[in-house]
Amino acid sequence: MNRIKVLIVTCLVAITAIAQNDKFLLDYKYTTTSDKETIVDYRLHTSTEKSMFYNTTSLWMDSISRSDAACTAYGEMAASMMSKGQGAAVPDRSANIFVCKSFSDNSMRVYDDFDDQFAFYDESLDEMRWEIGDSVKVILDYECVLASTNYHGRTWNVWFAIDLPIHDGPWKFHGLPGLILSAEDATGSHKFEAIGIERTDTPIPQMYRQDWYSKEDRKLFLKSKRQYTDNPLAYILQSQGIPPNANIKVTDLNGNEIDPNSLIDSSFDFLETDYR
């Protein structure tokens, strides 16, 4: 038996040493490169039973949306910041995907939105199949093993920690005998990288605004989101019944007028590309 196989067997045995109520918090830096590099922070709150992957600002904004007083306070704060030319620093929920996994019933529910379209869809945890490699490297002081998968249109290479035997990872990644600390697609255009990990006693959060979402087909939703991403102004005008030749002024968060064509980024594509 080679070294990698010994490590995997050890990892599978070690999972019995993790109590059912043990939870971990992992912070990830998500980087995507198209015309420009974009970096977003995400958090994975996970256990042996279930997990939630989310952006902390988006989760916080959803939580305060249930309080009129909190919404008013946020509006006043945002208006004040924009008046000072700090519009770009106003907290927003642009990182708006939430991935909730349930290992007890082998299911995953994804919440996503764009413009005013809020959707959720369900997937089985059986879709992601892995090939474990023979390479090892250290991430955050944890020895990690290389694995790869083809999933929904992309090839991914990931590194999972053999000493953290929870079958989870950032975004939709799961199913390996250890927490995934790094994942990058074969084109190098999308990458998740763990930048911190700790044990926690805090409960895994729930969705605050499930009432916003309706069930949709994953591929149909992504097709609509693609249309919006390709030309958000045209999509919004069409959805509002406004003629495409209407005289519309577009401004940034600081009130400066911008060219609508600058909003179009056709070089960017989603984490999943099988919607085409």
Side-chain angles (χ1 to χ4, degrees), residues 5-22:
K5 290 182 178 178
V6 171
L7 291 172
I8 299 302
V9 171
T10 301
C11 180
L12 290 170
V13 172
I15 195 168
T16 60
I18 292 185
Q20 290 295 310
N21 59 352
D22 274 1

Side-chain angles (χ1 to χ4, degrees), residues 38-42 54-64 74-75 77-78 81-82 86-98 113 118 212 252-254:
T38 301
I39 298 175
V40 183
D41 293 325
Y42 282 100
Y54 58 96
N55 173 266
T56 55
T57 300
S58 296
L59 188 70
W60 168 75
M61 292 191 67
D62 285 2
S63 71
I64 67 171
Y74 170 81
M77 175 192 70
M81 294 178 68
M82 292 177 69
Q86 301 172 347
V90 175
D92 63 46
R93 64 184 306 282
S94 56
N96 47 17
I97 190 169
F98 300 84
D113 67 88
F118 289 77
W212 287 348
D252 62 18
L253 291 174
N254 293 321

Side-chain angles (χ1 to χ4, degrees), residues 124-144:
S124 168
L125 293 181
D126 291 332
E127 289 189 46
M128 198 169 283
R129 304 298 177 87
W130 295 98
E131 180 178 341
I132 297 177
D134 57 3
S135 299
V136 176
K137 75 174 181 179
V138 175
I139 301 175
L140 294 179
D141 296 326
Y142 290 96
E143 190 170 52
C144 296

Side-chain angles (χ1 to χ4, degrees), residues 1 16 22 27 55 76 82 107 114 119 149 151 207 218 222 231 241 246:
M1 186 179 293
T16 60
D22 274 1
D27 289 317
N55 173 266
E76 292 173 350
M82 292 177 69
S107 66
F114 67 92
T149 186
Y151 183 71
M207 290 293 294
R218 177 182 65 88
L222 290 176
N231 196 330

